[in-house]
Amino acid sequence: MRSLSKTMRKTIICTLSIVTVASSDCLFMDKEESEKVLQVFRDKNKSDTRKNKTHKVSGIFFVEDDNWTVWIDGVPYSSIGQQNEFSIDEVTRDSVSLTMSDGKTIRLSVSSN
């Protein structure tokens, strides 16, 4: 009976704690505050990835001008055009030309660092 009594006390304390926390407004942000915090993190993420991102070509499988696959940062691409952070402009046997979202054009090869 003694352990049942301890269990009951713990259950009551936990239940009261949950009710107290749930009814307390000071522990939670309102919708506007939480959106501001999320936006700050989104903006920081975008700027960090743009500043520190160096792209690397890990492979080019080139058959002809319209038939190729290139691996950029471990992701395979098989068509020219806009991707997430860059646009693939040209693929040759030895290199890939990219235009970054800031307008800068870079040329990468498999041996590029």
Side-chain angles (χ1 to χ4, degrees):
M1 289 300 279
R2 187 163 172 85
S3 67
L4 181 60
S5 164
K6 282 183 179 179
T7 304
M8 287 300 286
R9 276 189 269 154
K10 288 181 181 180
T11 303
I12 291 170
I13 291 172
C14 288
T15 304
L16 289 175
S17 298
I18 291 170
V19 170
T20 304
V21 169
S23 66
S24 175
D25 291 335
C26 67
L27 294 177
F28 301 102
M29 292 183 278
D30 64 18
K31 185 177 180 179
E32 184 179 323
E33 291 171 326
S34 62
E35 186 57 40
K36 285 180 183 178
V37 170
L38 289 173
Q39 189 60 43
V40 167
F41 281 112
R42 284 185 205 122
D43 292 345
K44 181 168 176 21
N45 251 354
K46 286 179 185 175
S47 66
D48 286 350
T49 56
R50 285 185 198 144
K51 285 183 209 171
N52 301 327
K53 188 71 174 178
T54 57
H55 296 285
K56 184 171 184 173
V57 175
S58 55
I60 299 174
F61 180 73
F62 188 89
V63 178
E64 57 190 11
D65 287 341
D66 295 331
N67 188 3
W68 49 263
T69 301
V70 61
W71 285 263
I72 301 171
D73 302 325
V75 178
Y77 298 94
S78 59
S79 65
I80 288 180
Q82 186 65 41
Q83 307 304 327
N84 290 332
E85 301 171 10
F86 53 83
S87 174
I88 299 175
D89 300 328
E90 180 186 22
V91 176
T92 67
R93 295 181 193 285
D94 304 317
S95 64
V96 178
S97 294
L98 305 177
T99 299
M100 308 312 291
S101 57
D102 63 1
K104 181 180 171 187
T105 301
I106 60 173
R107 188 169 197 85
L108 303 171
S109 65
V110 177
S111 61
S112 294
N113 292 340

